Amino acid sequence: MTGPVSRRLDLPLAGMTCAACSARIEKVLNRLPGVEASVNLAAERAQIKLTSDETSPARLVAAIERAGFSVPAQSVELAIEGMTCAACATRVEKLLNREEGVEASVNLASEHARIRFVPGLADHASLIAVIQKAGYGARVADDHSREDEKARKRAAYQRELKRFWISAVLTLPLVLQMFWMFGGSEHGSDPLPRWFQMLLATPVQFWIGWRFYDGAWKTLRGGGANMDVLVALGTSMAWAFSAVVTVFGFEHRHVYFEASAAVITLVLMGKLLEARAKAGTTAAIEALIRLQPRIARVERDGRLVEVPADSLQPDDVFIIRPGDSVPVDGVVIDGGSSINEAMLTGESMPVAKVAGDHVFAATQNELGQLRCRATGVGEHTLLAGIIRLVAEAQGSKAPVQRLADQVSAVFVPVVCVIALLTFGGWWFFAGDLAEALINAVAVLVIACPCALGLATPTAIMVGTGQGARAGILVRNAEALERAEHIAVLAVDKTGTLTRGAPEVTDVLLTDDRAQALRLAAALEQGSEHPLAKAILQHAGAETLPKVTEFSAIPGKGVEALVEGRRLQLGSPLWAAEGSTANLPEIEHLQAEGKTVVVLAEAGKVLAAIAIADPLRTGSVAAVARLQTLGIEVVMLTGDNRRTAAAVAKAAGVNRFEAEILPGDKAAAVNALKATKGIVAMVGDGINDAPALAAADIGFAMGAGSDAAIEAADLTLVRSDLNGVADAILLSRATLGKIRQNLFFAFIYNILGIPLAALGLLNPVVAGAAMALSSVSVVSNSLLLKRWQPVAGKNS
């Protein structure tokens, strides 16, 4: 006898901080029977050899987690071949989710599965094997395989199109004969000899229709049932009955070769139309991929050389000539120009770029020349982040799809039972075998799980694609669905309603303006706060005194020793220790909506500096649009109530919460959720992270990097609050299409199956209806392409 075959695993690890951590994991693993483990701290991986069946991979992962560490989950996207209807997608998803440590979502429209798995419990090979065992093909989908997949689909489409035309030529005489017979011919008189009808129908049934037999066999072998089973079973019954009547010369019986051949031809036509329509749902992401530049002009050893754009590294210096596409994300070193960023933001007006400004891959340079330093390359550009996010959103599932998935899981078996009851009922009560058979066939071929499976994903794919074109990036379908029901929008003031670039407007209560600004700038040097930047910019380039014993008090201000003097700079109440009560100048400035910071020493006011952050151009119109949509806008700010009230009044906001510390914004959002229903929050995606996380839906405005894209449920590439209104309208338009699609898919089956069972539908008509049902759903989703992010023109 031979012993158990050894097995090697390579597990990624998370949570290790030092050599003691790696030693602990190694010790814990080596205690398990049949385990030889070696942990590499630098690589954060565990190399494991299993020499016994006593320890499973799941036990290894559990042991690592008990030790206080984790095996981080990984994600993979698989392209699946052979799915024909919603039952297929539901079956594959169910089988994948049965695997330990696996979470899978299968999208019928894109024919992709997005899978999250724990290494050690599953890997790419085992996941592909599960899908193959179910009777389908699978391969890892990545950027390199995308073109191969498109070429494969084009070739398959052309092959099926050729077969369809052959099938149509063979079926046409049979269908024309059927209409001739409906015209009132004598019973039993066939215009075409029955042997000739059989000669025409047989290649359609077994050559053209082989795809249905193949699909049905693979699905049944895997323990499932799909549309292929219904088509193969229904047409085989009609063909077999007709063949028996023809071969044995039962002249008094009708033959139904036209039904079997026409159903296969019509279903094939429906699949071709569906494939063309589905191709349109991925147009947005394909357009984004085509935007990726191929060539970059880079400075190397004092010379300008052309290199592939994907070979650039961070800090490489590249040149953008007039008319060039920007190859990677970067920052302008010198030069000046305007860049068209419409392909990323949806904004048609070019954006001026000078030294210090950021540029983004795939945007179009206009007239000037720019010299830039690369900051984001490869998968770390804004464009790559958008493509990744759109792909993930298109592969996600909306909660509204759950009912369709539940129905699809049992649809085919239920239809087969109904067909069997139809056959038995008609034969028993009407006593006519042929009529019983043909009505059962009609039940089988009219039932269509495809429309149910395509109703939601096709609308999500088109909707998220349209959003990407307009600079609205949706993280997943669930966020898009929730956005429809937003009742309250919490808005961060600085950088959302306002420009986020404050300016010093007044310096009061001082005899030496320059000295006051010099001391205030000294306290603020090194700070990245917008108010600090405004003071530093207004103070100019003067050399600032050194600062010692610096301390920052969150939400209040800063304190330090400057030239031997202990100074405070911050909110009037804190810095001046409440001594500003009799200073009407400060109250007047605050009433105008300006933020006032006080420079003080030992409670004595040395100067009051007023800073204003102007409203964004579109903020007033955006607030009005949101209110028209029935959404209450609430402004959250750390400013005092007077400033907040002035800004809110100027922006048209009726409710605001002032003097909120940064850490308390999340609590304010939670308070709104407790009384107002679905609450959304708009912020910058980084500083407002706790509030964005607390909200039901988080909007990040002004994505400058792929990191910012990861921070919210929806990201607005363009820093314009109108984008929130557009996103809500897009959500409503998309959910409207989903409901229309689901209504049509359910009504079609709810009405069609009983009509067929009652003998009111000819199988040919049933086949045509079945073929067109999924096409109509996809075509309805494609109507979302008419949606435009323009006020008053959204549909």
Side-chain angles (χ1 to χ4, degrees):
M1 292 180 63
T2 60
V5 178
S6 63
R7 179 182 177 187
R8 294 185 180 275
L9 297 175
D10 182 11
L11 299 183
L13 300 171
M16 294 191 299
T17 57
C18 61
C21 298
S22 58
R24 175 165 171 73
I25 295 175
E26 198 169 288
K27 185 177 180 181
V28 166
L29 291 175
N30 283 319
R31 282 179 186 164
L32 298 174
V35 174
E36 298 175 15
S38 174
V39 178
N40 186 320
L41 174 63
E44 294 187 289
R45 303 191 78 84
Q47 303 289 335
I48 302 171
K49 182 180 179 182
L50 294 177
T51 58
S52 167
D53 294 333
E54 292 182 64
T55 302
S56 66
R59 189 175 175 186
L60 292 172
V61 173
I64 293 169
E65 289 176 348
R66 280 198 303 272
F69 306 93
S70 64
V71 178
Q74 295 180 353
S75 296
V76 64
E77 188 170 346
L78 299 181
I80 303 177
E81 301 173 23
M83 293 194 299
T84 57
C85 68
C88 301
T90 302
R91 173 75 179 157
V92 172
E93 184 172 288
K94 186 177 179 181
L95 290 172
L96 286 170
N97 284 318
R98 279 181 186 170
E99 297 295 302
E100 194 169 8
V102 174
E103 296 176 15
S105 174
V106 178
N107 187 320
L108 173 63
S110 63
E111 297 180 22
H112 277 208
R114 188 169 291 278
I115 306 169
R116 184 176 171 84
F117 64 94
V118 177
L121 302 185
D123 54 32
H124 294 181
S126 66
L127 295 170
I128 290 172
V130 169
I131 296 171
Q132 289 175 336
K133 187 177 179 182
Y136 306 94
R139 67 182 75 185
V140 175
D142 52 32
D143 291 338
H144 299 294
S145 67
R146 197 182 297 273
E147 287 300 320
D148 292 341
E149 185 180 346
K150 284 174 62 180
R152 178 183 58 79
K153 285 185 176 181
R154 278 196 299 267
Y157 179 83
Q158 292 301 325
R159 187 168 58 251
E160 291 300 315
L161 182 62
K162 188 182 295 183
R163 289 189 175 188
F164 164 72
W165 285 118
I166 295 171
S167 182
V169 168
L170 293 172
T171 304
L172 186 60
L174 298 172
V175 174
L176 290 175
Q177 172 198 249
M178 179 185 71
F179 287 121
W180 184 85
M181 292 173 68
F182 284 158
S185 66
E186 293 285 332
H187 176 78
S189 62
D190 297 317
L192 293 177
R194 290 185 172 182
W195 62 266
F196 185 63
Q197 292 183 46
M198 185 173 175
L199 189 66
L200 292 173
T202 300
V204 174
Q205 184 70 39
F206 297 106
W207 174 46
I208 306 298
W210 178 251
R211 57 170 287 171
F212 301 113
Y213 288 103
D214 184 54
W217 165 246
K218 288 177 178 177
T219 305
L220 291 170
R221 187 183 61 189
N226 63 358
M227 183 205 75
D228 291 328
V229 173
L230 298 178
V231 175
L233 184 59
T235 57
S236 295
M237 287 167 60
W239 182 90
F241 176 83
S242 303
V244 169
V245 168
T246 301
V247 170
F248 291 98
F250 299 142
E251 294 296 330
H252 63 288
R253 291 285 189 185
H254 280 296
V255 290
Y256 299 97
F257 289 119
E258 79 285 347
S260 65
V263 165
I264 287 174
T265 303
L266 289 167
V267 172
L268 194 58
M269 180 189 71
K271 286 295 174 186
L272 289 170
L273 292 173
E274 180 187 316
R276 287 193 65 175
K278 279 162 63 178
T281 64
T282 61
I285 196 168
E286 289 175 2
L288 287 170
I289 292 168
R290 285 196 298 271
L291 287 175
Q292 293 177 306
R294 301 284 183 261
I295 300 295
R297 294 180 176 88
V298 187
E299 291 184 0
R300 295 276 167 85
D301 301 322
R303 294 185 304 111
L304 196 62
V305 296
E306 289 190 355
V307 299
D310 56 12
S311 70
L312 262 65
Q313 299 297 317
D315 294 327
D316 277 351
V317 175
F318 60 93
I319 302 296
I320 312 171
R321 294 176 178 174
D324 282 356
S325 289
V326 180
V328 295
D329 289 1
V331 62
V332 178
I333 301 172
D334 57 58
S337 183
S338 293
I339 288 186
N340 184 350
E341 298 181 344
M343 56 287 295
L344 298 185
T345 66
E347 177 58 62
S348 59
M349 291 296 292
V351 181
K353 300 290 181 181
V354 294
D357 289 338
H358 289 277
V359 295
F360 303 106
T363 54
Q364 191 80 23
N365 188 25
E366 303 242 319
L367 299 176
Q369 179 167 298
L370 298 171
R371 184 167 174 263
C372 308
R373 177 177 289 108
T375 57
V377 300
E379 292 298 309
H380 301 288
T381 65
L382 176 59
L383 177 65
I386 290 173
I387 292 171
R388 184 166 58 250
L389 198 65
V390 173
E392 288 176 2
Q394 291 188 341
S396 64
K397 283 191 175 184
V400 73
Q401 192 177 346
R402 289 175 188 150
L403 177 60
D405 286 346
Q406 291 169 355
V407 172
S408 298
V410 297
F411 187 87
V412 174
V414 168
V415 169
C416 289
V417 170
I418 293 172
L420 185 61
L421 292 174
T422 300
F423 178 78
W426 276 93
W427 195 7
F428 180 79
F429 291 106
D432 189 335
L433 176 63
E435 193 170 15
L437 179 77
I438 212 64
N439 290 336
V441 170
V443 169
L444 290 170
V445 297
I446 197 169
C448 184
C450 305
L452 287 172
L454 293 169
T456 300
T458 52
I460 292 293
M461 290 173 76
V462 178
T464 53
Q466 287 300 102
R469 291 176 190 269
I472 302 166
L473 307 181
V474 182
R475 171 165 298 283
N476 53 49
E478 186 175 355
L480 193 66
E481 182 173 339
R482 285 203 310 270
E484 182 192 29
H485 304 291
I486 293 173
V488 176
L489 181 68
V491 181
D492 181 47
K493 177 182 78 73
T494 304
T496 304
L497 281 173
T498 64
R499 293 178 187 171
E503 303 168 352
V504 172
T505 59
D506 305 272
V507 182
L508 303 176
L509 307 177
T510 179
D511 296 327
D512 191 344
R513 176 189 174 98
Q515 174 67 357
L517 283 170
R518 177 173 170 271
L519 294 174
L523 287 165
E524 296 285 26
Q525 60 186 308
S527 173
E528 291 298 317
H529 193 282
L531 299 183
K533 288 183 178 180
I535 292 172
L536 287 163
Q537 185 175 2
H538 199 75
E542 184 180 348
T543 303
L544 299 175
K546 290 185 178 179
V547 173
T548 59
E549 298 183 23
F550 179 89
S551 63
I553 294 84
K556 298 184 182 300
V558 296
E559 182 178 29
L561 279 177
V562 184
E563 297 179 336
R565 304 168 65 182
R566 181 166 295 280
L567 303 177
Q568 295 82 33
L569 181 71
S571 69
L573 287 175
W574 171 77
E577 298 178 357
S579 65
T580 62
N582 297 318
L583 296 175
E585 296 93 335
I586 291 178
E587 292 186 6
H588 178 70
L589 291 169
Q590 290 175 337
E592 291 178 354
K594 297 176 181 179
T595 299
V596 180
V597 293
V598 165
L599 177 67
E601 183 179 11
K604 180 184 176 183
V605 176
L606 302 180
I609 302 171
I611 302 168
D613 185 7
L615 287 174
R616 290 185 181 275
T617 307
S619 290
V620 176
V623 169
R625 281 184 71 196
L626 289 162
Q627 291 169 342
T628 302
L629 293 173
I631 296 165
E632 181 183 1
V633 180
V634 178
M635 186 182 78
L636 304 181
T637 178
D639 278 343
N640 63 80
R641 294 194 65 80
R642 286 194 184 92
T643 301
V647 173
K649 183 179 179 181
V653 175
N654 297 322
R655 178 180 172 183
F656 63 89
E657 301 283 343
E659 299 174 2
I660 297 178
L661 296 176
D664 295 335
K665 284 185 180 178
V669 169
N670 284 325
L672 289 170
K673 286 169 63 178
T675 58
K676 295 289 185 178
I678 301 294
V679 175
M681 170 73 188
V682 189
D684 61 13
I686 300 170
N687 297 334
D688 297 310
L692 288 170
D696 295 301
I697 304 161
F699 288 88
M701 237 173 66
S705 68
D706 61 334
I709 292 176
E710 304 297 326
D713 298 304
L714 290 98
T715 301
L716 309 175
V717 179
R718 189 169 74 248
S719 295
D720 185 350
L721 195 60
N722 274 291
V724 178
D726 287 332
I728 292 167
L729 287 168
L730 174 63
S731 168
R732 293 180 180 181
T734 304
L735 268 294
K737 286 298 176 195
I738 289 173
R739 291 191 185 96
Q740 290 170 16
N741 289 346
L742 287 174
F743 174 80
F744 178 80
F746 277 112
I747 286 296
Y748 163 82
N749 284 291
I750 289 169
L751 295 180
I753 293 174
L755 288 174
L758 293 171
L760 300 176
L761 283 181
N762 182 281
V764 176
V765 176
M770 185 261 214
L772 294 175
S773 62
S774 55
V775 178
S776 60
V777 163
V778 179
S779 299
N780 189 44
S781 295
L782 288 174
L783 292 177
L784 272 173
K785 287 191 172 186
R786 298 185 303 180
W787 181 89
Q788 294 296 325
V790 180
K793 294 183 181 180
N794 295 292
S795 61

